[in-house]
Amino acid sequence: MQTLTPLFLSLLFVAALTENGAAQSSYDVRSPDGRIEIRIRTAGRIQYDVVLKGRAVLESSTLSLDVEHKKLGVQPKVIDAKERSSDQVVEPVVRQKFAKIRDHYNELRLNMEGGYAVVFRAYNEGAAYRFETSMPQSQVKIYGEESTFSFSSNFIAYYPQEESFFSHNERKYLPQHLSEIAPAFLATLPAVVDVGDGAKVAIAESDVDSYPGLWLKGTSGNALAATFPPYPLKESLTGDRDYRVVESADYIAVTAGRRTFPWRVIGIADRDGDLITNQIVYLLEKPSLVQDTSWIKPGKVAWDWWNFNNVYGVDFKAGVNTETYKYYIDFAAKYGLPYIILDEGWYKLGNVLEVVPEINMDELTAYAKQKNVGIILWVVWKTLDDQLIPALDQFEKWGVKGIKVDFMQRSDQILIDYYYRVSRECAKRKMLVDFHGDQKPASMTRTWPNLISTEGVRGMEWSKWSSDSEPKHNVTIPFTRMFLGPMDYTPGAMRNATKLTFAPVFGQPMALGTRCHQLAMYVVFESPLQMLSDSPSNYMREPETMEFLSPFPTEWDETKVLAARIAEYVVVARRNGRDWYVGAMSDWTPRNLEIDLSFLPEGNFTMEAYQDGVNADRNASDYRKTTTQVNRTTKLMLPLASGGGWAARIHQ
């Protein structure tokens, strides 16, 4: 449950007049710690600067909203300016990073003539703004929204460039100067900009509801500009899953005249590692719309699709059938995994109510219940949408614990509404949701805590057909994609490969990087529904590895970043109860990283560590497990091979 302890403080506000006595046209709001300042100007149009420690990182950024061809924010007239400060403690239903999050900000609300307001907030974690409207119409069309993020110099941006609005959002975050990003170059979120002195700025959004998702485009200058998928008028289905927009309106949304609009978020980190612990996107999300959340249970899940159902040493034919999934259930029960997934193949494509004859769903769900293992079912989004209520009712009768929804590839308003509808209907039936096929649901998990994880990331599935999910990418996404929210990368490969030994094999996949690189992902990558993506048969041949993965939690009371450099290396420590877990990952450069364990409380602890073997550069599966006694004064040198990693459990 979420506990709010409000503490409202008055802001010091100085009403400034120009020399000739004209009305005020400049305003200022600072973060509670004073590091971040938003300077707002309203003469002619709304503009703002963002200043970090006295240095402007954004300058003369602009915003406007076109409601029924009336541009709010252009020639604005301020009626009044209201300031407030809020200091609360949020206790997340699902503990993605922390058991308690401080929600502390200063806010400036500019009420304007014409029935609208612009609200600015300054957090210690960054800046944000949004429009609010109080139009008399019950329904209005939004013809566009301008949001230009103008940086003070030609900085380098990690930019997830896309080909079109129709996308799984599984991009690489590649560094390039802002001026190299042309207006034709679309991107999903976030764009992370290196603004100098070690600081980073992440452009994102939050609280998206009844509105399209924010995308970015270049300007061939020092700015990034917002762009939005237009409202669909006609759609066309190819096969069972590619539901494309073939005709669009000249507006982006049809929505209520009286509402709050999504937050435009400028996350700010003094150091790379602060991007990992920054919670501004979560804090700006709408609080939970699920009343009873006691049934929401995060945990690990055995996944079938990545390993191609390649179980072996059994007396049945492996594949999409009842016997194979009973084997997954037995594996999950043995190692305390609360869930298994039935991915593509369990139903006849195009009709989610027709189970393939090789699977006896009643028998399987009864067996799972007997073993105390929950079943999660994969579905194509469009097929589910066409059969939503009867399908979810049937899943509920079977005792299914959740659904994995895939192939949306869109974030226009119709799809944003769909994410809300599915999350709401599943919550009514006490079912979890894992959205693949789009990144936008990542910033909805506070609002819908049963929305347990999300994809929209170039994850390990790519290793089945390419070398794109590789260590340098793997140490970039904790600072980029994960800034938005949970990231279902699907780790756990037991067949580990170097650059020389890797080959994409769809039916028997391997992953680039060492075994310990994979184990560290469980600490570094946040997903409250965390996959074990390899074959149960492979895991059972690796008892030492399962000693780490079996008790591994997927929720965290505390998160600390011990060392980090975007696209190079990352070391994260996380606490669940009294146990600490530490994960370290490197790019292709072998390195030694020194850390200390000063985050531990007083006392002596046992540390079970997995480190790259001396021959991990030749055989990426080579590792060594050690057990030592440590305390808060212990200093460690972590030896990371090329594409390497290090992982440990520290407990009493």
Side-chain angles (χ1 to χ4, degrees), residues 271-308:
R271 302 169 301 171
D272 291 9
D274 295 338
L275 288 165
I276 294 174
T277 53
N278 192 307
Q279 292 271 256
I280 190 170
V281 172
Y282 186 89
L283 290 170
L284 289 166
E285 294 172 38
K286 190 183 287 93
S288 175
L289 295 177
V290 182
Q291 297 303 311
D292 173 20
T293 59
S294 61
W295 55 272
I296 297 173
K297 305 295 183 188
K300 298 184 295 295
V301 53
W303 184 35
D304 57 341
W305 183 87
W306 190 79
N307 61 73
F308 208 62

Side-chain angles (χ1 to χ4, degrees), residues 421-464:
R421 184 165 65 253
V422 170
S423 299
R424 180 182 297 109
E425 292 298 331
C426 283
K428 290 178 185 176
R429 296 161 178 81
K430 297 186 176 180
M431 291 168 58
L432 303 176
V433 183
D434 178 11
F435 279 120
H436 278 225
D438 187 54
Q439 70 165 209
K440 297 306 178 186
S443 62
M444 301 177 184
T445 58
R446 181 183 180 187
T447 307
W448 300 106
N450 63 314
L451 203 178
I452 195 73
S453 193
T454 63
E455 195 205 24
V457 65
R458 185 165 299 202
M460 204 168 70
E461 66 176 352
W462 279 71
S463 63
K464 288 167 72 75

Side-chain angles (χ1 to χ4, degrees), residues 398 468 491 598:
W398 282 332
D468 278 355
S598 58

Side-chain angles (χ1 to χ4, degrees), residues 490-549:
T490 69
M494 294 295 101
R495 298 179 70 221
N496 313 106
T498 67
K499 282 183 178 181
L500 288 176
T501 61
F502 176 80
V505 181
F506 192 89
Q508 288 195 335
M510 63 189 77
L512 279 158
T514 68
R515 170 69 56 80
C516 294
H517 189 84
Q518 287 286 316
L519 294 182
M521 289 178 180
Y522 287 89
V523 186
V524 176
F525 294 169
E526 294 161 6
S527 179
L529 187 72
Q530 189 66 277
M531 306 281 179
L532 270 67
S533 60
D534 216 323
S535 166
S537 303
N538 287 346
Y539 288 123
M540 287 191 281
R541 290 182 61 182
E542 301 281 352
E544 277 194 342
T545 294
M546 289 310 298
E547 288 173 10
F548 181 77
L549 292 180

Side-chain angles (χ1 to χ4, degrees), residues 561-592:
V561 181
L562 307 183
R565 188 180 293 274
I566 187 170
E568 294 185 23
Y569 59 85
V570 59
V571 187
V572 177
R574 299 188 194 266
R575 179 177 63 83
N576 178 285
R578 299 180 65 182
D579 291 357
W580 282 89
Y581 290 81
V582 182
M585 299 168 63
S586 179
D587 61 5
W588 289 117
T589 302
R591 65 181 83 242
N592 292 303

Side-chain angles (χ1 to χ4, degrees), residues 616-635:
D617 59 332
R618 297 163 58 91
N619 180 349
S621 295
D622 185 30
Y623 73 92
R624 183 164 71 97
K625 182 187 176 188
T626 62
T627 301
T628 55
Q629 299 301 305
V630 298
N631 58 45
R632 65 192 319 269
T633 67
T634 301
K635 297 183 186 301

